[in-house]
Structure formats: C-alpha cells, structure tokens
Amino acid sequence: MGTGPIPDSVLARLACDSQITRVVFGADSVVLNVGRAERTYTGAKRRAIVARDLQCRFPGCSAPPAMGEVHHIDHWLRDQGQTNVHTGVLICWYHHGLIHDRGIEVRRGPSGAWRFVDRRGRELAGPIG
Ligand SMILES: [Zn+2]
Ligand SMILES: [Zn+2]
C-alpha cells in the first residue's frame, strides 16, 4: 500500500448519499458536478475522513480510498444535513450501495470503532456479500 498523498482524482466518488447525490471532482479538486452541495463531504473534511479511516470500514472489507465514498451515518433529512467529519465514514462504493439497499445503520462505538447494524438490530461482524 502506498503512503503518498491521495490524488484528488482518486477521491472523485466521495459523496453521500449515493442514491441521491454524486459529486464529480476534476483536476485541482474543482467540483465539476454536484447534486446538492450542502450535503457533501469536500476538501479538508473529505481528506480528514480518508486519513482517519484509511480504507473501507465495512466489516471484512479493506478496499482502498480509491474505491471510497463517504457515507453520512445520520440520515440527512433527520440530521438537517450537517456534514461533520465525525458523522462521515469511509466506505467503498460497493458497500455504500449495500448499506443503503439493506438499510444498514452505521454507528460509532465508545472506543471509536465503527459498528454496522442491520434492519433487525443485529451487528454485522464478518464479510457480507
Ligand atoms: Zn450513504
Ligand atoms: Zn467495502
């Protein structure tokens, strides 16, 4: 795994919610296309989340930031759209889709570890298809 800076082109897909919003970044982080800018993670917040989470945090997944998006752990409408670093988690595009498709809740435990809970209230621990 490389240790150099992550090029912005690699972060092009970082936006939540994948069902509604896509942000396309071009060279020099210029936003080329945005659905609803107020609910996206950009610039320093985006980089801070990548630096903290390093890879997809979904159980059993180690996808790099190149495949990453930021999932907003509080539902945007419920949360009034605060895009704080502590309410975003790095998730690969595949698992981001899965989280929304299956209604999986992401929470932050007391130790700072991310927890993933399905619709039935069961905590996900291992690799999920
Ligand atoms: Zn999301
Ligand atoms: Zn993943």
Side-chain angles (χ1 to χ4, degrees), residues 4 15 25 35 42 44 46 50 53 59 68 76-77 83 91 93-94 98 100 103-104 108 110 112 116 121 125:
F25 293 95
T42 58
R46 186 164 55 100
V50 169
D53 290 345
W76 188 66
L77 296 175
T83 53
I91 295 289
W93 62 269
Y94 174 77
L98 196 76
H100 285 279
I104 294 168
R108 200 157 167 82
F116 296 75

Side-chain angles (χ1 to χ4, degrees), residues 15-19 39 41 69-74 89 91 95-97 99-100 106:
C16 182
D17 164 334
S18 67
Q19 292 175 317
R39 65 191 305 278
Y41 289 90
E69 302 180 350
V70 174
H71 173 64
H72 198 294
I73 66 172
D74 292 320
V89 56
I91 295 289
H95 285 122
H96 197 188
I99 283 170
H100 285 279
V106 185

Side-chain angles (χ1 to χ4, degrees), residues 11-12 48 56 60 68 78 88 90:
L11 304 173
C56 174
R78 192 177 67 200
L90 184 64

